[in-house]
Amino acid sequence: MSAPLREAVARYLQTVDNVDVEGSVRRITMDIEALGRTEMVTLSLRDGELQCASTDGKDDGPHVHAALAFVAGLDGRHDSQPPRPETTARRTITESSPQHHLAEALDELLIAVTRVGIDKARYAPSVDAALKRVIEAAGSPMAAGLGRFVGRLRHEVLSGPPRRAARILEGASRLAQALQDESISRETEERISAWLGAEGASEGARKLLSDRTMVEVGREWLSGNERAAVERRYLVDLDSGAVYREDRPRHATASLGPCPRLIHVGLAESEPGPAPERLRILQYEVRPEVPKASWDRLTQVARRSFAQLTEGYRRSVGAYPALAEPFALIAPYRSEHKDGFVAIDAEGHQVVLERSERRGSVLAFYDRLHGGLEPLWIGGRLTDLGNALCISPFAVMDRAGTYVRL
């Protein structure tokens, strides 16, 4: 934000008629780059008092100062950023549109959390009120991605590390920016689609899958705006080892069959977005009994290099910080469980058990360990604690004599 932007606005106004319409600017939200970082800064006027907030948590830091200088016309610096690439389409955003209201509500939520701090957000009435405004702006029924954001944010604010709550809010900030961006790029389109539904995804962005054999290894109910809002099913491609998800809202339908099951997928669509990719199964056959050869194949495709797993996890969360919930099957080279279960690969890299999110399954897992369980693979959602990659388990495969057991 600097002189070139102001000059561009002046040139534009010279080409527009009726620019003398009276209006009062009450709030401005800007992306400010300073000290090598970009933060979102909001300046608002309430009851005649200027209020400043930045996503870095500082109301008087360098990003806020740069925003104030820009609004006051005091910045004479030239923008060093290269121009954004031209996009193929543009859209007109009106203040009365539902997406505009949602973007404003998300901005208000970010400001409310910034003011009180993430560690105090659980006790702040202003944060509760801002989250209610997001829910109201989302409409009914709430889109699955937005609902999952609400459920995850509530959980992390109440009991998770502040770092993870901040990451989820970063994702909300990106959505708010995408909703207000008049340029329609592939990245913007996919981001909005991941949050608000598949209707926004272009046909070319979707991938068609055919003649695949998959095993469903687990299901779980995930919270959204309400508890147990979405049933998520995890499917593993026996050929590639890729993991897909099938999401079923509480009052909707999905592919038929119990869990576990073998599915011969004749035709399906996978949607770009947060990991694991969402799958829409169009033509399929179900086999309720999974043959031993398929279980053996799952053991073969389970992830053995935890360094590669960690890198893939970072990429997924970096692309969709609020929505990515990577799932993996891990096959430990060895394990330790003297002071807590630790899975170790052949290079010594570790994956630890996430104890806070699924306490019941963790207790059941330890009960199995004390009973002599030696896991061939463990399935669950991936999270992190600092530099440690964690798995939240709900499926495990072990060998009992000549049989394998889920």
Side-chain angles (χ1 to χ4, degrees), residues 83-318:
R84 295 179 61 181
E86 292 295 324
T87 53
T88 58
R90 300 185 69 83
R91 57 179 175 171
T92 301
I93 302 174
T94 64
E95 292 187 0
S96 60
S97 68
Q99 289 193 354
H100 177 79
H101 289 315
L102 177 58
E104 282 199 328
L106 290 169
D107 282 345
E108 293 288 347
L109 175 62
L110 292 165
I111 293 170
V113 176
T114 298
R115 285 176 181 156
V116 301
I118 291 176
D119 56 336
K120 298 179 181 178
R122 73 184 73 177
Y123 308 114
S126 60
V127 175
D128 290 338
L131 189 57
K132 288 179 181 178
R133 285 195 290 272
V134 171
I135 294 171
E136 292 172 358
S140 181
M142 182 181 290
L146 194 58
R148 185 59 184 141
F149 157 75
V150 171
R152 293 190 72 191
L153 181 62
R154 283 172 171 165
H155 172 79
E156 298 298 350
V157 166
L158 285 174
S159 58
R163 174 185 62 259
R164 290 214 294 250
R167 182 188 299 156
I168 292 172
L169 289 169
E170 179 189 352
S173 173
R174 294 186 191 180
L175 174 63
Q177 182 177 1
L179 292 174
Q180 298 174 86
D181 192 350
E182 294 184 353
S183 301
I184 303 177
S185 65
R186 172 64 65 83
E187 181 181 0
T188 299
E189 181 185 46
E190 291 183 359
R191 188 173 306 283
I192 294 176
S193 171
W195 281 79
L196 303 183
E199 292 75 11
S202 65
E203 292 294 332
R206 302 174 188 175
K207 294 186 295 185
L208 287 178
L209 306 179
S210 61
D211 297 325
R212 305 291 181 93
T213 300
M214 302 184 182
V215 174
E216 182 185 335
V217 297
R219 298 179 183 180
E220 62 176 337
W221 284 97
L222 300 176
S223 62
N225 185 32
E226 56 186 19
R227 294 187 64 184
V230 175
E231 181 192 54
R232 180 165 294 175
R233 306 167 174 195
Y234 297 101
L235 307 168
V236 181
D237 188 324
L238 291 181
D239 181 40
S240 66
V243 178
Y244 299 93
R245 61 183 166 96
E246 187 182 17
D247 285 353
R248 182 182 73 84
R250 176 171 287 278
H251 302 296
T253 58
S255 61
L256 303 177
C259 179
R261 57 180 173 154
L262 188 73
I263 306 178
H264 296 290
V265 178
L267 183 64
E269 287 181 339
S270 70
E271 298 173 2
E277 288 187 2
R278 181 164 57 179
L279 195 67
R280 295 179 181 273
I281 302 177
L282 306 175
Q283 299 174 5
Y284 64 99
E285 294 180 0
V286 174
R287 198 172 153 182
E289 295 184 2
V290 181
K292 182 178 179 298
S294 297
W295 291 124
D296 291 342
R297 177 58 184 165
L298 276 182
T299 303
Q300 294 172 6
V301 300
R303 303 297 295 272
R304 285 172 164 74
S305 171
F306 298 165
Q308 295 178 3
L309 188 67
T310 300
E311 183 59 33
Y313 171 81
R314 289 172 177 165
R315 287 197 304 270
S316 298
V317 173

